Amino acid sequence: MGSLAAVLRHPDDLYPLLKLKMASRQAEKQIPPEPHWAFCYSMLHKVSRSFALVIQQLGTDLRNAVCIFYLVLRALDTVEDDTSIPTDVKVPILIAFHRHVYDREWHFSCGTKEYKVLMDQFHHVSTAFLELGKGYQDAIEDITKRMGAGMAKFICKEVESIDDYDEYCYYVAGLVGLGLSKLFYASGTEDLAPDSLSNSMGLFLQKTNIIRDYLEDINEIPKCRMFWPREIWSKYVNKLEDLKYEENSDKAVQCLNDMVTNALMHVEDCLKYMSALRDHAIFRFCAIPQDSPLKSLTEQTT
């Protein structure tokens, strides 16, 4: 219903979305028949909110690399998110995760539902990873190593300042932007984008998600970690959860506008990044996910 409501608010998007859906169905017919690839693309649809369609319209080699990149980072994120894992167990796994992708036998049971399936059968992802070109493997390993180290750092670190907020978003999303730029470059279709622009592509999406998911996250049981920076929300309320109460609605809107303004600072970099892309499929891959957050942010402000 949420997707339908979004389309109804933006009917001009319907035709491009239908074209993308048809292109992805055509791409599905070209997915390798081997069981490990079938597992990877099946899991991609189950654990991806929005990227499965745009990934599948990329060229074959790049599509496979981005699919595995997404699943590796999703698995890493599953370890980070599982609050049942003791810190002394979780931190070494996060730090060593980049090595596990080379091990066809490695798996680690954690997460729930489809994420648990991904972790229990991670050997399929490793098998597919090992079939990628070395340039793709090197890029995925590098980003996974840096992201795992960053996640480990923030296991015991709260997001207090805006600098903390930017640093956290860099580790969990900015590095995704850098990794995708490396994969585009390894495919031979794009120049290597500046790190600053790649980082902004990830930060804009991540900050939008953090803003959008406030109520869902703050009400989660057991309570999850929140990543709204204290430097922003403490200007309006004493406790972050106070923003959800109706009596604080005016303050909540003011705080929301503050958070949205911070996210919109990355838009110019995102436009510069996308304007330099040459491959139409890569441009669509980058532009479509960025379009929805921009509309979402502008609709939330008053």
Side-chain angles (χ1 to χ4, degrees), residues 47-115:
V47 302
S48 169
R49 289 182 176 181
S50 56
F51 286 110
L53 286 176
V54 289
I55 287 174
Q56 288 192 215
Q57 52 85 48
L58 294 169
T60 302
D61 289 345
L62 181 57
R63 180 191 69 205
N64 289 342
V66 174
C67 172
I68 299 307
F69 182 50
Y70 186 93
L71 292 178
V72 168
L73 298 189
R74 178 56 68 190
L76 182 66
D77 190 57
T78 299
V79 175
E80 184 205 24
D81 283 347
D82 193 330
T83 56
S84 70
I85 305 173
T87 299
D88 61 340
V89 175
K90 180 181 294 189
V91 168
I93 294 175
L94 293 173
I95 292 174
F97 208 92
H98 66 287
R99 294 196 293 270
H100 296 319
V101 297
Y102 288 95
D103 184 354
R104 296 178 190 267
E105 304 299 322
W106 186 87
H107 62 89
F108 182 76
S109 185
C110 66
T112 60
K113 299 178 181 178
E114 58 268 22
Y115 301 99

Side-chain angles (χ1 to χ4, degrees), residues 51 95 126-127 130 137 142 177-178 266-267 302:
F51 286 110
I95 292 174
S126 297
T127 299
L130 292 170
Q137 290 181 2
D142 174 57
L178 269 67
H266 302 290
V267 169
T302 61

Side-chain angles (χ1 to χ4, degrees), residues 195-263:
D195 284 358
S196 60
L197 300 187
S198 301
N199 182 47
S200 281
M201 289 286 285
L203 262 61
F204 180 59
L205 288 176
Q206 181 66 19
K207 289 182 176 182
T208 301
N209 290 339
I210 288 173
I211 294 168
R212 181 194 61 202
D213 294 342
Y214 165 81
L215 189 60
E216 177 184 346
D217 290 343
I218 203 75
N219 287 332
E220 186 174 312
I221 299 175
K223 190 175 294 294
C224 72
R225 294 188 65 205
M226 296 293 293
F227 296 99
W228 285 47
R230 180 184 296 271
E231 184 178 340
I232 290 180
W233 62 258
S234 63
K235 293 187 289 184
Y236 307 97
V237 288
N238 293 323
K239 296 184 294 183
L240 182 56
E241 54 263 35
D242 291 345
L243 292 172
K244 70 180 182 180
Y245 299 119
E246 186 174 355
E247 60 266 27
N248 294 323
S249 59
D250 288 343
K251 293 178 180 179
V253 170
Q254 293 168 9
C255 184
L256 176 63
N257 286 339
D258 208 336
M259 290 288 291
V260 168
T261 299
N262 176 275

